[in-house]
Amino acid sequence: MNMVENNSSYSQGLREMLLLRYEPIAIKLISDEKDIPADAIHPMRDLNKHMALCQAFAMTRRNKKTIYMDKTSEWCWNPLIGFGFVDGQPGSKAFDVVCKNLGIADEKAAKEFFAEFPTLPKGSYIGIVTAPLSNCTFKPDIVLIYCNNAQLRSLLWAIKNVTGKIVNTNMDAIDSCVYACIPTIKTGEYRVTIPDVGEYERASADENEIILSVPGEKIEELLQGLHSFYDRGMGYAQLSKEMQLDFTRPPFYNELFDIWGLDQGENWTR
């Protein structure tokens, strides 16, 4: 199969086994303009508007649009620093401004925290492409799967099946676009991220959604793990809650059923 066929197959497998509501997002870091897909929407060029990276994610997973984001289109500070489009390192004016607005009361603690913020070296890339996994023409650097908690449970179980390891992750309440991407790009490891308040308010993330970041080279591994349970009838799409019949009931139920000449059962013992 060619690249598009591979990606389509991966997307189909994920959506069928997990009953995903939205399309998985394929992400590629761009260092040369020739690598930008021809159908990619460049917000400033094509719409004469800015957008935040989380909004690009939303347009990709909800509307299946391919988006190219660079620093001219970006409307949020943390992707600009996280992806190395601008300077936000310790010692810069931007670093001091951010530290004053992080929501950390102690200034020293804020600076220590932000000094460890996940970033790529400044100038490493000129932009980022987000595309639907189902029809993207490139090999993704990472894939983002927006899912609910039960779907995440099956994904984590699948990862444990093929790796023998539990996914270790740290979580923050904000900056989800950076946390969902940069750590996985740098380490090549799976990661779980909570959509932040910006995604909720501006990019229509649902309250019960959570993100699994998958290294591009591990997407086939993940599907192998999912199939290990799905093929045995134990996948997410096959799970059902068992219903206990003849359940125990409050004593007055049996009193009423006796009056009506109906079968009686065990009283509950609460």
Side-chain angles (χ1 to χ4, degrees):
M1 291 191 291
N2 61 34
M3 185 64 65
V4 175
E5 290 172 335
N6 271 335
N7 290 332
S8 176
S9 175
Y10 296 151
S11 172
Q12 182 178 351
L14 289 168
R15 287 184 287 109
E16 286 184 355
M17 287 189 283
L18 294 167
L19 304 180
L20 293 176
R21 183 177 181 185
Y22 299 117
E23 179 67 28
I25 303 170
I27 292 176
K28 182 175 179 62
L29 297 170
I30 301 297
S31 55
D32 192 317
E33 289 186 354
K34 67 178 177 58
D35 296 324
I36 303 171
D39 63 339
I41 297 170
H42 186 286
M44 278 305 294
R45 182 195 68 191
D46 300 326
L47 308 175
N48 198 30
K49 297 284 186 180
H50 304 88
M51 70 172 63
L53 183 56
C54 61
Q55 293 176 315
F57 290 167
M59 288 183 68
T60 293
R61 68 192 184 94
R62 290 171 175 268
N63 305 112
K64 297 189 177 181
K65 302 293 186 182
T66 297
I67 312 291
Y68 172 62
M69 295 291 291
D70 63 6
K71 69 179 182 180
T72 68
S73 290
E74 183 56 61
W75 206 231
C76 187
W77 68 267
N78 61 72
L80 288 168
I81 294 176
F83 286 89
F85 298 155
V86 298
D87 184 15
Q89 297 304 306
S92 68
K93 290 182 179 180
F95 179 86
D96 293 335
V97 171
V98 170
C99 289
K100 291 178 182 178
N101 293 276
L102 274 179
I104 298 175
D106 182 78
E107 182 179 350
K108 181 174 180 291
K111 289 184 175 180
E112 290 175 350
F113 177 89
F114 195 56
E116 300 299 320
F117 189 68
T119 61
L120 297 175
K122 184 177 181 294
S124 298
Y125 301 95
I126 61 171
I128 175 176
V129 169
T130 72
L133 181 62
S134 59
N135 63 8
C136 78
T137 57
F138 53 82
K139 182 176 181 180
D141 292 317
I142 57 174
V143 173
L144 302 184
I145 301 172
Y146 281 67
C147 57
N148 63 38
N149 290 334
Q151 291 162 333
L152 178 65
R153 177 186 61 209
S154 290
L155 285 160
L156 295 176
W157 201 15
I159 294 167
K160 181 181 176 183
N161 174 270
V162 292
T163 66
K165 298 178 181 178
I166 292 174
V167 174
N168 290 312
T169 194
N170 55 2
M171 292 186 178
D172 198 350
I174 59 172
D175 306 332
S176 55
C177 61
V178 169
Y179 281 114
C181 295
I182 305 303
T184 294
I185 289 168
K186 295 176 76 170
T187 67
E189 299 296 333
Y190 297 96
R191 178 188 163 80
V192 178
T193 303
I194 300 172
D196 72 7
V197 68
E199 287 211 54
Y200 176 73
E201 288 192 326
R202 303 181 191 99
S204 301
D206 294 332
E207 289 186 344
N208 66 344
E209 284 186 305
I210 197 160
I211 309 165
L212 179 71
S213 304
V214 184
E217 67 273 12
K218 292 186 177 181
I219 188 70
E220 197 163 330
E221 171 186 271
L222 177 63
L223 282 157
Q224 178 186 339
L226 287 169
H227 270 294
S228 69
F229 296 108
Y230 186 83
D231 294 346
R232 289 181 281 162
M234 299 169 61
Y236 171 81
Q238 299 143 321
L239 296 177
S240 61
K241 296 182 179 181
E242 295 182 359
M243 189 172 295
Q244 179 185 351
L245 307 183
D246 282 340
F247 49 87
T248 60
R249 303 174 298 176
F252 80 89
Y253 276 55
N254 281 323
E255 185 177 352
L256 287 171
F257 275 51
D258 181 47
I259 292 171
W260 296 327
L262 299 174
D263 294 341
Q264 298 172 57
E266 293 184 29
N267 293 327
W268 70 17
T269 57
R270 299 180 186 181

